[in-house]
Amino acid sequence: TPAPITHARPETAGTMPLNKYIAHAGIAARREAAELVKKGLVKVNGELVTEPGHKVSSADDIRVNGKKIFLAKNLVYILLNKPKDFITTTDDPQGRKTVLDIIGKATPERVYPVGRLDRNTSGVLLLTNDGELAQKLTHPRNEIKKVYHVTLNKPLEKNDFDKILKGIVLDDGPASVDVLAYADMKDKTQLG
């Protein structure tokens, strides 16, 4: 089981948007937290709030699905080398193995994956309860680029190369690439 890196978060002074508070509490990434609010699953001081930007502070009684939440005091970061046949979600109704099954009880904090890797892909995956960092890394407006070095079990032919450049659909939705190239022209199983 990997040992998480933990940092203490200073108490947040003043007010912040409700979705940011939920993210800092380690419940979900900020975008997902906004959806929880919009769906009517959040109450502030006993009142239903459906506006993610509603200002709250640590003095407020904030409940998600009826459970009181608190700002996360310890931020946890786990860097995982995800093996094949594990899915990048926190749970799966179909009973498939998830990345949380791998980390087990590495931390008592609720962590979630930042980004995704397809079930049949192995590689580096970050799990954290730092909703603010997750938001920075995944929100399209930040234009964080990811670079992959891929090793295939057979050479990638030109027609498949062109299909990938046009965009492909994975188990969890469409995926597009900005640039695709052979890492070594003599070895067409190595791509970047």
Side-chain angles (χ1 to χ4, degrees), residues 4 14 24 64 76 85 97 102 113-114 122 128 130-132 139 145 158 162 181:
H24 282 312
V64 176
V76 176
D85 294 324
K97 298 177 285 187
I102 298 170
V114 178
S122 62
T128 186
D130 187 342
E132 190 168 2
H139 197 284
K145 300 292 182 193
K158 178 75 170 116
D162 294 338

Side-chain angles (χ1 to χ4, degrees), residues 7-75:
H7 293 286
R9 169 177 290 173
E11 285 300 316
T12 305
T15 63
M16 70 175 74
L18 180 56
N19 65 319
K20 183 175 181 180
Y21 187 98
I22 293 169
H24 282 312
I27 304 302
R30 200 180 303 184
R31 193 173 353 175
E32 295 163 343
E35 289 304 312
L36 291 172
V37 175
K38 289 176 186 175
K39 288 178 180 174
L41 300 173
V42 180
K43 286 187 176 181
V44 177
N45 301 322
E47 298 290 323
L48 183 67
V49 175
T50 57
E51 174 52 48
H54 178 84
K55 297 292 186 189
V56 296
S57 75
S58 57
D60 290 311
D61 181 318
I62 301 166
R63 296 178 186 264
V64 176
N65 276 334
K67 183 178 177 186
K68 185 168 180 159
I69 64 170
F70 303 91
L71 290 178
K73 290 191 168 94
N74 293 314
L75 296 178

